[in-house]
Amino acid sequence: MMVRSGIPELARKSLEAQLPAGRLMSDIPLAPFTTFRIGGPADYLFEPETEEELTSALRIARELEIPYFLLGSGANILIGDGGFRGLVIRNRFSAIDFLEDGKVRAGAGTMIFHDLIQATVSRGLGGLHHFVGIPSTVGGAIWQNLHFLSPPPERERTVFIEEVVESARIMTGEGDVREVPREYFRFGYDYSILHDQPDTVLSVTFQLTPTPEEELRVTIRENLQWRDDRHPDLWLYPSAGSIFRKIKDVGAGRLIDECGLKGHVLGNARFFPKHANIIVNLGGASARDVRDLIDLARNTVQQRLGYELTPEIGLIGEF
Ligand SMILES: Cc1cc2nc3c(=O)[nH]c(=O)nc-3n(C[C@H](O)[C@H](O)[C@H](O)COP(=O)(O)OP(=O)(O)OC[C@H]3O[C@@H](n4cnc5c(N)ncnc54)[C@H](O)[C@@H]3O)c2cc1C
């Protein structure tokens, strides 16, 4: 395999020998694996489909000291134009098991929307349906404590995925696999302990509530409509959702708007005209275009209004 990384040859050979033959890809553009459709190539890409494949890929990368990044559905990250030097592990461990009393266990690579929501709603189990329309794997949702506004009419409270998490199976940074309760994650707004600790979520058990299917479908329709009215259509305008963290009682989008940057274009990236906290890829945008817009907003808002904007998305790889 031809790779242009700084990974020592011995480690490369060992990686190629230890992962399943024919499944390790090299020099793979990452843009198609992100909702932004932006990002240069990874030296190596491996897509585990079972828990065992996922844990062994992580163990091998750690043993060989090869830098790695665990990718979910790529909905909350911006990958640099230079790509990623090392191994990208794109988690495709998707599995859904229904247990007793409204509990469901899902592999960390399961897509919440559509797969998990579809499966649970059709069995009359409510809780996850609220997150309809948000691209996310189960693992990515735990990382960020996926959230959305409470149902109408109020739409005031924020509903977090932690509310339906019962427990999870994780692999720690030392390679131990164990079951942990919800409290382990110390969930907060856009936060879980995963931000500060090299644990990997392998699967999650959710506690759902038996609810008439028609009732769930009403909320689904309302939530999809709400999103449709305010957010860019992902297929027309690739994005990573909100760019900056929420600023309590102010709103990052409102600050960007107040500075006259709503709709502002740099290169092929733009602050979405209907929602200034979302940057969209107009087609062929580079990571540099997005970074420049982020920097422009941060500097302008700081200088004119005195607020500090903090990116909510992860910036991954070489820019
Ligand atoms: C159109 C759009 C709308 C959005 N709307 C919302 C919204 O309403 N609410 C909201 O909360 N978010 C929203 N988001 C953001 C995004 O959907 C969430 O943050 C989502 O949870 C990201 O999941 P992912 O699988 O794509 O993670 P990725 O973006 O692939 O990864 C994000 C982080 O999670 C880590 N990670 C992934 N899997 C695991 C694992 N198994 N174990 C440990 N760490 C892991 C990655 O290493 C990375 O650091 C939106 C995004 C888009 C594009």
Side-chain angles (χ1 to χ4, degrees):
M1 277 185 191
M2 282 296 295
V3 279
R4 57 194 182 90
S5 84
I7 304 172
E9 185 162 350
L10 205 61
R12 280 199 274 128
K13 290 238 151 42
S14 193
L15 181 72
E16 288 169 17
Q18 290 188 61
L19 285 173
R23 300 258 311 277
L24 181 68
M25 295 168 273
S26 65
D27 209 17
I28 298 293
L30 294 170
F33 304 125
T34 70
T35 55
F36 242 144
R37 298 282 182 260
I38 293 173
D43 291 333
Y44 288 104
L45 177 76
F46 178 66
E47 302 188 318
E49 291 178 358
T50 62
E51 179 183 305
E52 206 192 345
E53 285 184 355
L54 174 58
T55 53
S56 65
L58 290 162
R59 285 203 174 100
I60 291 166
R62 286 173 188 168
E63 270 164 32
L64 297 173
E65 296 182 2
I66 292 176
Y68 69 86
F69 175 70
L70 179 62
L71 180 63
S73 67
N76 204 31
I77 53 169
L78 174 66
I79 296 177
D81 298 317
F84 186 78
R85 302 287 72 76
L87 170 68
V88 171
I89 301 170
R90 182 170 175 245
N91 185 12
R92 315 253 352 238
F93 168 39
S94 177
I96 302 175
D97 291 312
F98 287 92
L99 314 172
E100 73 294 344
D101 303 329
K103 292 186 186 24
V104 59
R105 189 161 192 100
T110 309
M111 288 301 293
I112 291 184
F113 175 59
H114 302 86
D115 299 346
L116 194 50
I117 291 177
Q118 179 96 11
T120 52
V121 166
S122 65
R123 280 173 178 76
L125 291 173
L128 289 164
H129 68 294
H130 194 64
F131 304 102
V132 70
I134 310 176
S136 182
T137 59
V138 165
I142 300 298
W143 197 84
Q144 192 72 355
N145 196 10
L146 195 70
H147 52 81
F148 184 55
L149 295 175
S150 56
E154 70 275 11
R155 289 248 187 255
E156 269 169 7
R157 191 175 81 81
T158 303
V159 178
F160 295 92
I161 199 157
E162 64 169 297
E163 296 171 33
V164 290
V165 171
E166 189 189 75
S167 61
R169 197 170 148 82
I170 61 159
M171 185 165 111
T172 66
E174 292 75 43
D176 302 324
V177 172
R178 59 191 170 102
E179 191 75 18
V180 295
R182 169 184 38 194
E183 295 71 32
Y184 177 86
F185 292 101
R186 298 199 207 145
F187 286 115
Y189 201 102
D190 284 340
Y191 180 80
S192 76
I193 194 74
L194 302 174
H195 288 231
D196 296 317
Q197 226 162 262
D199 297 331
T200 301
V201 177
L202 304 176
S203 59
V204 176
T205 300
F206 296 100
Q207 175 66 66
L208 304 181
T209 310
T211 314
E213 188 180 334
E214 198 36 54
E215 211 176 289
L216 298 176
R217 293 200 181 278
V218 169
T219 309
I220 284 178
R221 275 193 292 274
E222 285 169 344
N223 286 5
L224 283 176
Q225 189 60 53
W226 190 95
R227 302 186 76 85
D228 254 19
D229 291 344
R230 293 161 180 81
H231 288 210
D233 179 335
L234 197 53
W235 308 114
L236 281 174
Y237 298 109
S239 80
S242 296
I243 285 288
F244 297 108
R245 283 179 193 280
K246 179 177 164 145
I247 299 180
K248 204 168 179 298
D249 300 329
V250 182
R254 211 176 309 156
L255 297 176
I256 296 168
D257 190 11
E258 266 184 56
C259 289
L261 290 173
K262 203 187 225 183
H264 192 83
V265 178
L266 269 183
N268 289 314
R270 179 181 206 192
F271 281 114
F272 189 59
K274 269 204 242 171
H275 190 321
N277 196 17
I278 296 178
I279 293 178
V280 294
N281 176 356
L282 296 172
S286 63
R288 172 50 52 200
D289 294 339
V290 176
R291 273 293 285 273
D292 287 348
L293 269 187
I294 290 175
D295 291 344
L296 177 69
R298 293 187 80 181
N299 294 336
T300 315
V301 166
Q302 175 73 59
Q303 278 162 19
R304 292 208 198 150
L305 305 172
Y307 284 97
E308 191 177 342
L309 294 178
T310 312
E312 175 196 310
I313 57 167
L315 304 178
I316 309 298
E318 294 182 344
F319 280 80

